[in-house]
Amino acid sequence: AVPMSDMNMASLVAHVKNAVRQTPVLGIPLVLVSLCLLAAAIVLAPFAAPLAIAYFFLNRSSEESGAKVASLSSGTKTGVTAVPKTPVTTTTVPLSTATSSKDTTAPAETAPPAPAPLTGSAALMAKMRKSGAVTGEKRAATGADTSVSTKASATKASAPPTIVDNNTDSRFFILYGGEASTQIARDLSDKAVANGFAPRLFAMDDFKQCDLCQTPCTAIFVVETIENAQPAEAAGTCLRFFNRKRKSGEKDSLRGVLTYAVLGLGDTNLLLDRQTTTAKDCNQAAQTLDSALLFLGAEKLVTRGECNDAAGLEQAFEPWCKTLFPALAKALSSDGADAASTKNDGADTNAAIQTASIDAPASSPSIKFLYGSQTGNASEICVSMAAEAAGAKGFANVTCNSMNEKDVTDCLAPGNILVFVVSSTGDGDAPDNCDMFFTRLKRAAKAKTGGSVGVGTQYTVLGLGDQNYTAFMAVPRAFSTFMEKAGATAFYPRGEADDTLGLYEYAEVWQDALWEPLRKAVDDAPAFKLDPVKMAQEAAAVKALAKAVVDEEKAAEKARKEMAKESAEAKVEMAKEVTTKDAVPSTVETATPQPVQTATPSKIEGIPALPACRTHVKWLDAGKETAVYPIGGSVAKGDDAAFTAASPFLARVSAKTRMTAPESDRRVLHVEFDLTGGNNNSIGGDTKSTGCNTNSSLDYQPGDSIGVLPMNDSSLVAKIAKRLNLDLTSVFTLDWAPGFEDSKSKPLPHVQPGSTVKQVLTHCIDLTSPVRKSQLRVFAEFCADDDAGKQVLLNLCSKSGKAAYAETIMSERPTLLEVLNLAPSCFGSDIQNTFGAFIDTTHQLQPRLYSITTAPECAPGKPCVAFSVVKHESPAGILRNGVATTWLDGFEVFPDHDGDEGTTKTVPVFIKKSHTFKPPADVTHPMLMIGPGTGVAPFRGFLQRRAKQLKELTDDKKLKEMGSTAKPGACVLFFGCRRRDEDFLYESDLTEFVEHGVLTNLVCAFSREQQEKRYVQHLIAEHAAEVAEIVKNETAQVFVCGDGGGMARDVHAALRNALVSDGGMDEQEAEALLVAMTKQGRYVRDIWS
């Protein structure tokens, strides 16, 4: 465009005048436009005047600033001399060191001098807006370092300034990677010098000149993360070097050589604006380097620092420096401070080190994430939470263990912070991997000094449960109760995640709100340690006050809701009247909702933090195998010995019968286990009738379950070993990885020392259940960077890959072999050193529980179970088989001990006692049982027990005790299956119970014998009067057993509706009655998925 000059303007005016002369009418609109412009100018003048004045002063200030820059570039400011970079060394010393020398003025022909560096937050924020993917060499070529460039450099290129290294004997390095990290490293160097140290600055590209892997040294890495959670190019070489060493398994190669700290730089706004990842991943490069160095045995000075420009770099940088220098002083003073001290001022430096040690803050409080998990959900959530705490959230001294791996007394030490993640089993029992911890916690809380044993400890609890179970949240609530009794202080309210509403969705919300209370708990921990009683009292007072405020708010909210409800009801009534009188047919068509389309995103968001790998493998010589599998035996050891999941009884399968028709696609088995011989005693419930020892842990009662420890399929085991390039006969033992040695237990108790690869893959780890996201995250870490499968695994474990995880993992349910094959390089290099991480991240093979279908009066020492052999086709058409049921289906039967003891196969089993799911002790109490499918199994044992009770009731002595009017209560069973001639389980037994009066009514739903499917909930509605009469009885007991896919919810609704339709209650009263019965243990559900 050509700018308009005065000559152009004059020509334009003359042209307009000529046009008006020729056409006078054109003058009218021109006059009107001129008047409008004049009016607008008058209106806008008050606003435009201040802006014009401000512009004048800003322009003048800019000119003055330009003059100062010109002055600096011409060499008028002294104190810093620039030296051209030599091809031999690229190291620098801090600017503060250089400026302390005599003033010199740079000659005109030398490179332009660098300005004095900014300090504090100004320096930190100076260069974060540019990508760090530009190396020092590229900046020299492009003149990117504008802080030291001038206009004159456009005609003659010059290298960026480099400071002379005057501390060549120092073994204290500050290495920077990324454009912004250069300035921050200089600022960090200034602070180090001010604290009496003599650091040497190196670009991370030149890290090999520091000899970090051979000669003992201390290094601080300032690492920048850029787009796609990748390291800046200048940091990439160094980071990949150490990551390759970690992947190749060079564990402990840096132990005793390198002491280090990592400072990460990132910008969540930069990342989120480009929709590449979430906020917590803006320091992924620093996290990767930190993890690699820790694995290699390097000693960490302080917790990794993570600066986020979006929140303000100084918020993280300044506090991190305050923890760094005392730790640095302590490390250098113990390892020989002379190597890092200034030569000419040694006395002052040593004094500074001593002062820094005195002023050093107390070590970070211990934050223990502890889980109790039966099915793996609690451990998955806890491991992920701990990884984020130690990673993105920057907490120090974080550990994660199952509770049984920790000592209660150690955990309750003043100043400790505990985060419990614990699930609750159906009967309210603690999970197997926290049962000992839970028992000891109860004892500690109930002891005479119980109220003080936990004073000074801060804690919180996240509970996992399923409201279909009777003892919903029993264990998590018990943890809160006993921690309070022990005197501990809750720093964050207990969370309760319900599986019916989504465990992980709730846990994620609870976790997001955890971090601020946890930071406050960390800040308060020193005070809790110093004066635990005072702090606990103050916390209790604050809690009581907060509770009072909340109670008031709840009362006010309740009143508001009641008023709003009354008002809404009145409006509804009015609306109904209006609608009735003035109703007009609607002509608006409703759009048909379209199904949600899901697809794998092209960019990954929300990659979780990398969980710590706690174990490593120590390989043993051939023939050193000492482990024995399956675990267990025929004799329980010790005075109070019991057969448990950790020490099961090895039982024979003495009977096995198929109960479904041969043509049915369902295969339901009735299996009998022979427990006789345990502790050389028979098993039963009554010593008089059976001659059994009732003190044995193998005694069982109706309603109990039998636990089975299964084995993985041998062909799958062989394929996984081949995929991992492992010899099945190789022998190894597990040790704790660095940083976890303080644990008093052995790593992974389910893996015995001296096990073979075959034994561990067969008996110890789960190869077929859906892999957890934390496991996928670890698997991705052990993939080659150029393996496309790595991105697949990262996407599956990320937040943006939620739909892909649901489809690929939860729906398809691939085996561990199929997951490994998603990324060909996964654990493909040096598995000898990475097998420990593989075992640690893969969940334990869990025991399977089956309801016992017999009473000991009818089958002493030989409990029976019924189960469907699991076999289904995945959405991709792949046949999936259940682990335990398929294994048991293939067992050979030995009915009368006729098998050779050396060759007879045995099943590791234990008895799981039930506390609430058991038949009434009083036969006069009404009983309602609802058990479709294999859910009927435990009720067979209930009815066997009831038959014995009814027989005793005919005894004259019993009648006198109970009264002449005593009579048995109603006993009704609702059973459901497909067809009478296909899968009517225990038909002959149930028919006989009806004939003998044990069952007063047997109601069967055969879902496929008519056109419309009919289930047990439909028959409950048809028998509503009978059901309501039983449920309303104050002594009645209601039992529901079966698959919880929806049956339990539908049955509950049917019971409530029966009380409404035939029990004279409204819906709220009916629901309240069922809730009360649940709390009393009279409405009990045993549901599985």
Side-chain angles (χ1 to χ4, degrees):
V2 179
M4 182 172 287
S5 64
D6 293 341
M7 184 177 295
N8 299 140
M9 179 63 73
S11 176
L12 177 62
V13 171
H15 180 73
V16 171
K17 287 181 179 180
N18 186 41
V20 172
R21 289 192 194 97
Q22 294 178 1
T23 312
V25 180
L26 292 176
I28 298 173
L30 288 174
V31 170
L32 293 175
V33 170
S34 300
L35 291 175
C36 291
L37 292 174
L38 179 62
I42 295 172
V43 173
L44 295 176
F47 304 98
L51 293 176
I53 295 171
Y55 176 78
F56 171 76
F57 285 107
L58 287 173
N59 190 47
R60 182 177 179 182
S61 176
S62 177
E63 292 175 355
E64 292 177 355
S65 177
K68 290 182 179 180
V69 172
S71 175
L72 285 174
S73 62
S74 63
T76 56
K77 184 173 178 65
T78 63
V80 179
T81 303
V83 181
K85 182 176 179 181
T86 65
V88 178
T89 177
T90 59
T91 61
T92 63
V93 296
L95 271 158
S96 55
T97 305
T99 56
S100 63
S101 61
K102 294 181 180 180
D103 290 350
T104 59
T105 303
E109 64 272 17
T110 62
L118 299 172
T119 59
S121 60
L124 295 174
M125 301 183 73
K127 294 187 177 181
M128 281 297 292
R129 297 304 177 186
K130 292 186 178 181
S131 166
V134 184
T135 64
E137 289 76 15
K138 288 183 179 180
R139 286 195 298 274
T142 60
D145 195 345
T146 58
S147 65
V148 295
S149 298
T150 65
K151 294 180 180 180
S153 65
T155 59
K156 183 178 181 179
S158 62
T162 305
I163 310 304
V164 177
D165 184 1
N166 291 324
N167 296 289
T168 55
D169 293 335
S170 174
R171 295 296 297 161
F172 171 32
F173 305 101
I174 297 178
L175 297 99
Y176 52 89
E179 184 178 5
S181 66
T182 306
Q183 178 63 36
I184 294 171
R186 286 176 174 174
D187 190 79
L188 187 61
S189 174
D190 290 345
K191 291 177 179 289
V193 172
N195 280 275
F197 304 105
R200 300 170 65 189
L201 268 67
F202 279 80
M204 288 180 68
D205 280 345
D206 303 319
F207 74 99
K208 291 187 179 180
Q209 295 186 27
C210 302
D211 193 20
L212 301 178
C213 300
Q214 300 296 329
T215 308
C217 61
T218 299
I220 299 175
F221 297 88
V222 184
V223 189
E224 190 173 343
T225 301
I226 55 171
E227 295 88 346
N228 298 314
Q230 296 298 312
E233 186 176 337
T237 303
C238 178
L239 194 148
R240 285 189 291 271
F241 173 81
F242 287 113
N243 212 24
R244 280 196 298 268
K245 291 176 72 70
R246 179 181 67 80
K247 290 182 179 180
S248 64
E250 298 182 32
K251 180 174 286 294
D252 297 337
S253 61
L254 297 181
R255 185 176 295 277
V257 178
L258 177 63
T259 303
Y260 78 98
V262 176
L263 174 63
L265 308 180
D267 187 340
T268 54
N269 285 332
L270 174 67
L271 298 175
L272 289 173
D273 286 345
R274 302 187 184 184
Q275 297 182 345
T276 55
T277 185
T278 59
K280 69 181 182 180
D281 293 311
C282 73
N283 280 290
Q284 191 81 356
Q287 179 184 337
T288 302
L289 178 61
D290 190 19
S291 176
L293 293 175
L294 193 63
F295 178 87
L296 296 172
E299 181 182 354
K300 186 190 292 190
L301 281 170
V302 292
T303 303
R304 179 177 64 254
E306 293 182 338
C307 298
N308 177 12
D309 190 24
L313 294 172
E314 69 281 359
Q315 292 187 12
F317 178 72
E318 296 296 343
W320 185 77
C321 288
K322 291 179 181 178
T323 62
L324 170 68
F325 292 118
L328 189 61
K330 183 177 179 181
L332 293 178
S333 62
S334 60
D335 296 337
D338 291 341
S341 60
T342 304
K343 281 185 174 182
N344 297 330
D345 200 10
D348 294 340
T349 301
N350 291 330
I353 291 175
Q354 293 173 4
T355 303
S357 300
I358 295 172
D359 296 336
S363 60
S364 300
S366 175
I367 306 175
K368 303 180 188 295
F369 286 82
L370 304 171
Y371 60 83
S373 182
Q374 194 66 41
T375 61
N377 287 318
S379 62
E380 168 71 8
I381 291 171
C382 191
V383 167
S384 299
M385 199 181 300
E388 183 172 353
K393 301 306 177 183
F395 290 98
N397 207 3
V398 175
T399 59
C400 182
N401 296 84
S402 68
M403 293 185 212
N404 282 353
E405 293 176 345
K406 289 294 183 180
D407 181 75
V408 171
T409 305
D410 291 345
C411 290
L412 294 180
N416 277 353
I417 301 170
L418 311 179
V419 179
F420 295 104
V421 182
V422 60
S423 61
S424 190
T425 62
D427 266 342
D429 292 329
D432 293 338
N433 58 6
C434 78
D435 53 358
M436 291 188 295
F437 185 96
F438 185 48
T439 300
R440 290 165 183 165
L441 176 62
K442 287 191 289 186
R443 290 175 182 170
K446 292 179 179 179
K448 292 182 180 180
T449 59
S452 60
V453 68
V455 173
T457 304
Q458 299 178 83
Y459 79 97
T460 188
V461 178
L462 173 61
L464 311 183
D466 187 329
Q467 63 179 348
N468 285 321
Y469 286 96
T470 302
F472 177 62
M473 290 295 163
V475 175
R477 292 169 184 173
F479 263 91
S480 294
T481 299
F482 290 119
M483 287 297 289
E484 291 292 326
K485 286 185 177 180
T489 300
F491 70 87
Y492 182 53
R494 181 182 64 247
E496 296 188 347
D498 183 359
D499 195 22
T500 62
L501 303 176
L503 287 178
Y504 289 89
E505 291 77 4
Y506 179 94
E508 185 176 329
V509 174
W510 186 87
Q511 179 177 330
D512 287 342
L514 167 68
W515 306 121
E516 286 308 314
L518 182 57
R519 291 191 191 283
K520 186 178 184 306
V522 170
D523 293 340
D524 293 342
F528 270 97
K529 186 174 183 180
L530 184 64
D531 194 345
V533 175
K534 178 183 177 182
M535 290 297 295
Q537 290 173 346
E538 291 179 357
V542 171
K543 181 179 178 181
L545 179 61
K547 184 177 183 301
V549 173
V550 170
D551 290 342
E552 290 181 5
E553 291 178 351
K554 286 182 178 179
E557 181 65 20
K558 183 178 180 182
R560 286 193 296 269
K561 286 182 178 180
E562 290 177 352
M563 293 177 62
K565 181 180 179 182
E566 293 175 0
S567 176
E569 289 174 350
K571 291 180 180 179
V572 169
E573 292 299 324
M574 293 175 62
K576 286 181 179 178
E577 294 178 6
V578 173
T579 303
T580 304
K581 294 178 181 179
D582 306 318
V584 178
S586 174
T587 59
V588 179
E589 295 183 0
T590 303
T592 304
Q594 299 297 318
V596 177
Q597 300 295 324
T598 58
T600 303
S602 57
K603 297 179 180 179
I604 304 173
E605 298 179 14
I607 299 173
L610 179 66
C613 293
R614 307 174 303 158
T615 64
H616 67 87
V617 165
K618 179 180 179 182
W619 295 98
L620 305 178
D621 295 336
K624 293 294 183 69
E625 175 185 345
T626 58
V628 178
Y629 293 90
I631 58 174
S634 60
V635 178
K637 301 177 181 180
D639 297 334
D640 298 325
F643 291 107
T644 63
S647 179
F649 176 76
L650 298 180
R652 292 181 302 106
V653 174
S654 53
K656 184 172 65 176
T657 307
R658 176 169 179 164
M659 293 194 290
T660 49
E663 62 272 12
S664 175
D665 61 349
R666 295 185 65 208
R667 181 175 174 83
V668 179
L669 299 180
H670 171 87
V671 175
E672 178 184 86
F673 297 101
D674 187 355
L675 305 187
T676 59
N679 281 2
N680 297 318
N681 290 306
S682 299
I683 310 300
D686 187 346
T687 55
K688 293 182 180 180
S689 62
T690 64
C692 300
N693 182 0
T694 57
N695 292 325
S696 171
S697 61
L698 293 177
D699 285 352
Y700 72 92
Q701 299 297 330
D704 289 347
S705 299
I706 189 167
V708 174
L709 277 68
M711 293 170 51
N712 286 311
D713 178 67
S714 58
S715 63
L716 179 60
V717 167
K719 290 176 182 177
I720 290 179
K722 183 178 179 180
R723 165 62 179 78
L724 295 174
N725 196 27
L726 284 171
D727 184 348
L728 286 171
T729 62
S730 297
V731 186
F732 68 92
T733 189
L734 287 176
D735 289 332
W736 288 115
F740 295 93
E741 301 93 334
D742 61 339
S743 180
K744 294 185 177 180
S745 65
K746 295 180 180 179
L748 308 186
H750 57 283
V751 179
Q752 300 180 52
S755 295
T756 64
V757 170
K758 181 178 181 179
Q759 288 174 327
V760 171
L761 294 180
T762 301
H763 299 276
C764 300
I765 60 177
D766 196 337
L767 306 181
T768 58
S769 294
V771 291
R772 308 286 180 171
K773 290 189 175 183
S774 62
Q775 188 174 356
L776 291 167
R777 179 65 184 86
V778 173
F779 277 25
E781 193 68 14
F782 288 91
C783 295
D785 292 337
D786 58 355
D787 187 347
K790 179 174 183 177
Q791 297 303 312
V792 174
L793 297 176
L794 288 174
N795 181 58
L796 288 173
C797 69
S798 69
K799 287 185 177 181
S800 61
K802 185 177 181 180
Y805 180 81
E807 179 182 353
T808 307
I809 303 299
M810 298 306 297
S811 180
E812 187 60 33
R813 302 177 72 87
T815 65
L816 204 59
L817 176 63
E818 293 170 66
V819 173
L820 286 169
N821 288 338
L822 290 174
S825 68
C826 185
F827 287 101
S829 61
D830 200 12
I831 187 64
Q832 298 289 325
N833 288 300
T834 59
F835 191 46
F838 176 86
I839 297 174
D840 187 25
T841 193
T842 305
H843 285 269
Q844 179 181 358
L845 184 61
Q846 293 293 330
R848 272 56 168 177
L849 295 177
Y850 301 99
S851 297
I852 295 176
T853 186
T854 49
E857 297 88 346
C858 300
K862 293 187 176 182
C864 302
V865 299
F867 57 82
S868 298
V869 178
V870 178
K871 183 178 295 185
H872 66 93
E873 191 175 278
S874 74
I878 301 174
L879 184 63
R880 307 290 187 195
N881 295 323
V883 174
T885 57
T886 303
W887 178 60
L888 289 172
D889 189 16
F891 250 80
E892 187 177 355
V893 175
F894 294 92
D896 300 312
H897 293 276
D898 56 355
D900 184 356
E901 293 296 329
T903 60
T904 300
K905 289 185 178 181
T906 55
V907 181
V909 300
F910 60 95
I911 299 297
K912 183 75 171 179
K913 304 291 184 180
S914 175
H915 304 299
T916 55
F917 195 84
K918 53 187 178 183
D922 191 339
V923 76
T924 65
H925 293 178
M927 179 167 59
L928 176 63
M929 299 168 288
I930 304 162
T934 54
V936 75
F939 298 137
R940 178 172 178 261
F942 280 32
L943 294 172
Q944 289 178 351
R945 171 61 58 84
R946 181 177 171 83
K948 179 185 177 184
Q949 291 173 323
L950 289 173
K951 185 177 181 181
E952 292 176 347
L953 191 62
T954 60
D955 182 71
D956 291 338
K957 185 177 179 181
K958 278 280 184 183
L959 285 173
K960 290 178 181 179
E961 292 176 356
M962 301 180 66
S964 57
T965 60
K967 64 177 182 178
C971 183
V972 179
L973 170 64
F974 285 85
F975 169 71
C977 64
R978 293 179 178 178
R979 298 179 181 85
R980 184 186 298 271
D981 58 356
E982 179 184 353
D983 54 350
F984 192 166
L985 308 182
Y986 298 116
E987 179 181 7
S988 60
D989 292 327
L990 297 178
T991 303
E992 186 176 345
F993 287 137
V994 174
E995 292 173 353
H996 289 80
V998 179
L999 263 177
T1000 57
N1001 194 6
L1002 173 63
V1003 185
C1004 297
F1006 302 109
S1007 62
R1008 301 189 183 183
E1009 287 190 352
Q1010 59 283 319
Q1011 187 174 0
E1012 293 186 1
K1013 293 183 178 180
R1014 287 159 55 82
Y1015 300 109
V1016 288
Q1017 59 266 29
H1018 300 129
L1019 296 189
I1020 291 173
E1022 294 177 7
H1023 294 75
E1026 183 180 12
V1027 170
E1029 182 180 358
I1030 294 175
V1031 175
K1032 288 180 65 178
N1033 191 298
E1034 294 182 353
T1035 62
Q1037 291 187 251
V1038 180
F1039 301 94
V1040 182
C1041 183
D1043 192 336
M1047 180 274 296
R1049 180 181 61 254
D1050 294 338
V1051 165
H1052 181 84
L1055 293 174
R1056 183 182 61 235
N1057 293 340
L1059 291 171
V1060 172
S1061 63
D1062 292 81
M1065 299 181 176
D1066 61 27
E1067 192 168 307
Q1068 290 183 342
E1069 291 172 335
E1071 186 66 34
L1073 174 61
L1074 294 176
V1075 171
M1077 292 179 66
T1078 300
K1079 292 180 179 179
Q1080 297 164 8
R1082 296 194 298 115
Y1083 176 25
V1084 188
R1085 289 170 285 186
D1086 185 7
I1087 308 300
W1088 60 83
S1089 58

